[in-house]
Amino acid sequence: MTQRSKTPGTYDPRQYSRLVVDGVKQTPSRAMLRAVGFQDADFTKPQIGIASTWANLTPCNMHIGELAQRAVAGADAAGGKAVLFNTITVSDGISMGSPGMRYSLVSREVIADSIETVVGAEGFDGLVAIGGCDKNIPGCAMAIARLNRPAIFVYGGTIRPGLARRDIVSVFEAVGGHANKTVSDQQLLEVERTAIPGPGSCGGMYTANSMASAIEALGLSLPNSSAQEAVSQNKQDDCHRAGEAVVKLVKAGITPRHILTRKAFENAITVVIALGGSTNAVLHLLAIAHEAQVKLTLDDFTRIGKRVPVLADVRPSGKYLMSELIAIGGIQPLMKRLLAQGLLHGECLTVTGKTVAENLSAVRDYPAGQEIVQPFDKPIKKDSHLVVLYGNLAPEGAVAKLTGKEGLQFSGTAKVYDGEEAATAAILAGKVGAGDVVVIRQEGPVGGPGMREMLSPTGAIMGRGLGDKVALITDGRFSGGSHGFVVGHIAPEAAQGGAIGLLKTGDLITIDARKRSIDVQLSAAELKRRQKAWKPRRPYTKRGVLAKYARSVSSASKGAITE
């Protein structure tokens, strides 16, 4: 493993922990640590923080306590002294469609801040962070980038399919089918009872699997960490190896910013596009890049997306589940194909101490006859499904997720709703029909606050059979499980005077993915007149974490970061 310190051979693997435990002055610190299990020899070892996101409140994280213990064992076996600590998680799937969803994106910041706080306070020399749900994955990566101490991210793994290959999105869409009278009460109950069979993150190429894949492509995870089932020996072994590997990183002086280069982020964007990944990947990669002090913008997704095709036929818009992709080899063969096509930067360093190209050199291609990952000459879409749009409705940008199955252009009349609940109720009640553009506003980072995901309304649209007949735009965001003609992250948001806040029901809206545009057919003079009459809404709350978040959060176009 290559030495990465400024002067080879001089990197101190205990540069942080020795400030806490060495010398007479730190005798009280050692006394405290003896009570939690430290022995004499442990004070001479690099200390490795193991950040666990275990919680018994969601399938995504319910097994991570056991995985964290495997990482502890790996770090100890490699000559480190592991110290286990916990941070929070919240469940998007449980809070979706409710006021609690406002806390989802906020939790990303809380997780990053809490990991930084513990690692900084305790003087850990290295870090393994284990995440399993949508926001603790980027939250862990943001902390890793910010701290810049030797670190590895471990993905908790995907859930196994439910009965009849069901998953959580099957449930949301069954609710829409129930409203459309195509799903009976008994059928809906059966879907509810059988869709989620046990531990692991949501089973399609939704946000958790998208972000795990992106972080592996960044080089922050060991190869294949993103493509293992939560309940598997492979995932147990992955955690043990991560504990061992981080001790090697500490001894070699390889830190995250040796890995998190601009080219590494380009690799992550490329892999997310090829997999047909979540729009949330845009938001989170911008935020991680900010913490790594790498300049990344929305326009980088457009630039890269012009040459990278969508190759994986995975849910939500495709056929296959993450478990089925794992069965044919995961994302490593895909990365090898992308590298051979000149679409990945093979020279980028990874947490193995080797480059991307070196890690992929022995990887076998997918088995003959598989249909999950398409060849380059028969892509699902010849360029990116993540389309950044600009126009008078989104001068700072918006992000659409369009595979082409929904069409690439939509014009229709606006049906405007302030908040997700009103829109979902209208869709379920049959008040939205073909040709409508559903506008959901006051859901941005500030206005929500917290930029809620719109899986309930998009699931209702799909369940009512309107997926190819209706568009939906919002200053909020989408679950990775959302599909259809959807545009989110509209900036500036309504709460900050953005044009989406000036719309009225009946306005004509045109979205064109080929021109990368989103516009309302109103003159500049009319928009200016409406702007003068606009008044901000009262804040959702003036107290607590949501109020603090609303006061400090940036635009979605910059990753909804807090500083």
Side-chain angles (χ1 to χ4, degrees):
M1 191 174 284
T2 306
Q3 176 64 255
R4 296 286 161 176
S5 57
K6 291 183 180 179
T7 306
T10 63
Y11 184 82
D12 179 4
R14 294 185 56 240
Q15 63 174 306
Y16 300 104
S17 61
R18 74 169 61 254
L19 300 176
V20 176
V21 301
D22 283 11
V24 173
K25 180 174 71 70
Q26 296 306 121
T27 300
S29 303
R30 294 194 298 275
M32 294 282 284
L33 288 168
R34 289 181 189 277
V36 298
F38 273 60
Q39 304 296 318
D40 288 344
D42 294 329
F43 295 114
T44 66
K45 300 174 182 177
Q47 288 191 31
I48 308 299
I50 308 295
S52 168
T53 56
W54 173 85
N56 199 32
L57 56 79
T58 171
C60 309
N61 295 69
M62 61 188 286
H63 62 301
I64 286 178
E66 181 182 354
L67 296 182
Q69 293 291 351
R70 295 287 293 165
V72 167
D76 288 346
K81 174 56 180 173
V83 182
L84 178 62
F85 67 98
N86 234 75
T87 184
I88 69 159
T89 188
V90 300
S91 172
D92 292 3
I94 295 171
S95 63
M96 195 76 70
S98 79
M101 187 65 191
R102 289 184 169 87
Y103 290 91
S104 170
L105 190 57
V106 178
S107 76
R108 185 188 76 178
E109 312 306 305
V110 176
I111 291 161
D113 290 351
S114 66
I115 292 174
E116 177 199 355
T117 299
V118 174
V119 173
E122 301 303 313
F124 295 143
D125 301 299
L127 173 68
V128 175
I130 309 172
C133 198
D134 294 15
K135 305 312 166 301
N136 49 69
I137 297 173
C140 289
M142 289 165 66
I144 286 170
R146 188 187 301 169
L147 285 159
N148 198 33
R149 301 184 190 190
I152 293 178
F153 174 77
V154 179
Y155 179 40
T158 193
I159 196 170
R160 289 176 175 169
L163 184 67
R165 299 176 66 248
R166 293 180 180 128
D167 64 3
I168 186 61
V169 175
S170 306
V171 188
F172 279 95
E173 294 185 1
V175 172
H178 185 265
N180 203 35
K181 302 189 185 309
T182 57
V183 174
S184 69
D185 291 349
Q186 189 58 40
Q187 288 171 324
L188 183 62
L189 181 61
E190 188 208 2
V191 172
E192 174 189 331
R193 286 174 170 170
T194 60
I196 313 295
S201 298
C202 299
M205 193 52 65
Y206 311 143
T207 301
N209 284 317
S210 297
M211 284 310 303
S213 301
I215 291 173
E216 182 176 328
L218 275 174
L220 278 186
S221 294
L222 294 176
N224 265 334
S225 184
S226 71
Q228 295 162 343
E229 290 183 334
V231 183
S232 68
Q233 187 61 48
N234 285 338
K235 182 49 65 184
Q236 297 272 334
D237 295 343
D238 181 41
C239 293
H240 195 280
R241 287 196 303 270
E244 294 175 328
V246 78
V247 176
K248 295 179 182 179
L249 292 176
V250 168
K251 292 177 179 178
I254 297 177
T255 65
R257 291 186 198 168
H258 292 125
I259 295 168
L260 296 176
T261 63
R262 181 173 171 80
K263 287 183 177 180
F265 280 96
E266 291 181 349
N267 284 348
I269 293 169
T270 296
V271 169
V272 168
I273 292 169
L275 289 170
S278 167
T279 53
N280 279 318
V282 178
L283 198 73
H284 298 324
L285 286 172
L286 289 173
I288 298 166
H290 172 80
E291 299 293 356
Q293 299 181 18
V294 170
K295 185 178 180 182
L296 195 71
T297 70
L298 285 175
D299 293 338
D300 290 312
F301 288 82
T302 298
R303 174 178 56 83
I304 295 167
K306 289 179 179 178
R307 59 190 180 89
V308 178
V310 178
L311 298 173
D313 188 13
V314 289
R315 293 185 185 178
S317 58
K319 300 177 185 176
Y320 297 99
L321 289 158
M322 188 66 184
S323 288
E324 293 164 318
L325 178 60
I326 290 169
I328 63 166
I331 74 165
Q332 289 279 298
L334 172 62
M335 289 179 64
K336 189 166 186 175
R337 288 184 178 187
L338 291 166
L339 180 66
Q341 290 288 320
L343 297 174
L344 286 185
H345 302 291
E347 71 273 24
C348 290
L349 184 67
T350 74
V351 292
T352 65
K354 299 178 181 179
T355 65
V356 169
E358 289 170 337
N359 288 342
L360 294 173
S361 62
V363 171
R364 296 181 179 179
D365 196 15
Y366 292 118
Q370 64 82 26
E371 298 180 347
I372 301 173
V373 179
Q374 298 298 307
F376 284 92
D377 59 354
K378 293 181 180 179
I380 306 294
K381 189 173 185 285
K382 67 179 182 179
D383 55 7
S384 181
H385 64 302
L386 298 175
V387 184
V388 177
L389 308 171
Y390 293 95
N392 65 3
L393 261 179
E396 291 181 10
V399 181
K401 181 180 181 181
L402 300 171
T403 63
K405 296 177 182 179
E406 315 84 354
L408 296 173
Q409 194 271 347
F410 194 100
S411 290
T413 53
K415 286 200 172 174
V416 180
Y417 302 95
D418 287 327
E420 174 190 0
E421 287 85 356
T424 302
I427 296 163
L428 292 175
K431 295 179 180 179
V432 170
D436 286 338
V437 178
V438 178
V439 178
I440 305 179
R441 63 190 183 192
Q442 305 297 345
E443 292 287 6
V446 174
M451 209 178 177
R452 288 193 291 177
E453 292 180 344
M454 300 294 117
L455 183 54
S456 291
T458 60
I461 285 170
M462 298 304 294
R464 290 193 68 89
L466 296 171
D468 59 348
K469 302 177 181 67
V470 167
L472 188 152
I473 69 172
T474 180
D475 52 6
R477 58 195 176 91
F478 295 106
S479 162
S482 291
H483 57 123
F485 206 105
V486 296
V487 181
H489 306 203
I490 289 178
E493 61 175 288
Q496 296 189 309
I500 189 173
L502 310 179
L503 293 177
K504 297 179 180 179
T505 292
D507 288 340
L508 181 63
I509 293 171
T510 299
I511 307 159
D512 194 323
R514 291 163 297 191
K515 295 180 179 178
R516 305 180 194 278
S517 62
I518 178 167
D519 294 284
V520 57
Q521 304 307 306
L522 296 173
S523 67
E526 174 60 15
L527 283 171
K528 188 174 181 180
R529 186 189 68 78
R530 293 188 187 185
Q531 185 71 61
K532 285 184 177 180
W534 175 82
K535 293 181 180 179
R537 292 180 57 177
R538 291 175 58 188
Y540 179 77
T541 179
K542 295 182 179 180
R543 298 172 61 88
V545 67
L546 293 179
K548 287 189 285 187
Y549 181 84
R551 287 194 294 266
S552 62
V553 70
S554 75
S555 167
S557 65
K558 296 181 179 179
I561 56 172
T562 56
E563 283 288 300

